[in-house]
Amino acid sequence: MWIKENIFFAVLLISLSFLFTGCAEVQPRNTASQIAQQAGLTRENVQTNAFLIASWSRMTSPVRSLHVYIEGDGFAWQSRTRPSDDPTPHNPVGLTLAAADTHASVLYLARPCQFIGPPLPAECSVRWWTEDRFSPVVLESMNEALDRFVARYPGVQLDLTGYSGGGNIAALLAERRTDVRSLRTVAGNLDVAYVNALHQVSAMPGAINAIDRAQALRHIPQLHLSGEADKTVPPDVARRFVQAVGGNCTRTAVISGMSHGSDWAAIWPQWLAQGVPAC
């Protein structure tokens, strides 16, 4: 009898572990779907050469300008030394920024492997949301996904916004494209090497770092917001980037009381309304 009871409880614990794991995977996806639905954003998965990229968008014809949002690094690490099994963000700040934007045409791009599955496809190995998250392969995939939408609206001009690590991606996209008319970042990791050194974590030799391309962005109007209480990407990161860009088209602002994962969407409309510096 004792053996049977222990087998029963073992099976029960295993079943519950699978149930809770399933809930953990599904909940962030359901939350994101609700955020997008309430903002009138429609889901579309975009297949690039390397990854399937999740997106949500709202397009209103004629699409002459498009506000594009790039998500942060997401749930990349379970702990300081243990990467997660799924990078889908539990707090999708980039998506909430897109949802708070009332512009006629808005596009949100998740990072590779975010909001995909479960299960994740075979190409989604841990490296793509850890040491290689800013690699040329990832950058090319994000650019390719953006190209798919731009091709539908010839002549469209892009206003890019990136949150956290998505700020690095947004800046690098702006550097390589000719259709970007403005760049904004929120708590943007615009100096990957500096931030890694700050937190005493391993360097990322394969990462493309926005600050190394900063001078090429001198002609693009920019606004970089930082949180005064942000310990993850402190305000000094944006200041260093603005100094590296040079010129008079770039502005940084430090927001009192805001930390890295704060409710940036609550104040986002007022900052959008202020626009970016004129060149």
Side-chain angles (χ1 to χ4, degrees), residues 6-267:
N6 277 270
I7 292 173
F8 170 78
F9 284 115
V11 172
L12 178 61
L13 287 171
I14 292 171
S15 299
L16 287 174
S17 69
F18 278 116
L19 175 62
F20 292 142
T21 299
C23 289
E25 290 176 338
V26 170
Q27 185 58 40
R29 290 164 169 77
N30 288 343
T31 299
S33 295
Q34 292 169 5
I35 292 170
Q37 185 177 18
Q38 291 171 1
L41 301 171
T42 302
R43 171 73 181 257
E44 180 179 349
N45 289 339
V46 181
Q47 184 65 61
T48 68
N49 286 331
F51 304 103
L52 188 65
I53 303 292
S55 77
W56 277 276
S57 65
R58 180 184 64 246
M59 303 294 182
T60 305
S61 297
V63 182
R64 297 192 177 95
S65 66
L66 180 59
H67 287 193
V68 180
Y69 291 82
I70 311 293
E71 187 57 80
D73 295 343
F75 186 54
W77 295 87
Q78 295 188 46
S79 68
R80 184 178 176 86
T81 58
R82 184 183 177 189
S84 72
D85 296 325
D86 185 334
T88 296
H90 294 182
N91 177 22
V93 175
L95 181 57
T96 64
L97 293 173
D101 190 336
T102 59
H103 186 66
S105 298
V106 174
L107 169 64
Y108 164 87
L109 293 176
R111 304 276 287 285
C113 304
Q114 295 179 352
F115 302 108
I116 301 298
L120 289 174
E123 63 268 20
C124 285
S125 62
V126 169
R127 59 181 287 202
W128 300 119
W129 56 87
T130 54
E131 70 265 23
D132 286 330
R133 65 183 181 272
F134 301 125
S135 66
V137 172
V138 168
L139 181 61
E140 181 56 38
S141 292
M142 297 300 293
N143 194 51
E144 188 180 344
L146 185 52
D147 278 342
R148 297 290 179 86
F149 286 94
V150 168
R152 302 172 188 175
Y153 311 104
V156 67
Q157 293 292 293
L158 307 179
D159 299 289
L160 298 185
T161 297
Y163 164 69
S164 188
N168 190 54
I169 298 291
L172 292 169
L173 290 175
E175 185 261 338
R176 67 159 48 190
R177 301 183 66 93
T178 60
D179 52 5
V180 175
R181 69 177 185 180
S182 72
L183 171 65
R184 296 175 176 85
T185 66
V186 175
N189 184 358
L190 295 162
D191 190 345
V192 174
Y194 177 77
V195 171
N196 285 352
L198 187 69
H199 293 291
Q200 299 181 335
V201 297
S202 299
M204 299 163 63
I208 308 176
N209 195 358
I211 199 168
D212 295 335
R213 313 290 180 89
Q215 287 194 346
L217 296 169
R218 182 176 292 215
H219 65 288
I220 297 178
Q222 301 170 49
L223 173 65
H224 303 287
L225 301 184
S226 301
E228 183 183 40
D230 192 343
K231 305 301 182 184
T232 304
V233 182
D236 194 38
V237 176
R239 296 191 190 104
R240 287 168 56 88
F241 184 77
V242 168
Q243 184 176 10
V245 173
N248 57 3
C249 299
T250 307
R251 178 189 173 199
T252 183
V254 179
I255 314 303
S256 176
M258 299 297 280
S259 62
H260 197 69
S262 290
D263 185 8
W264 287 95
I267 64 170

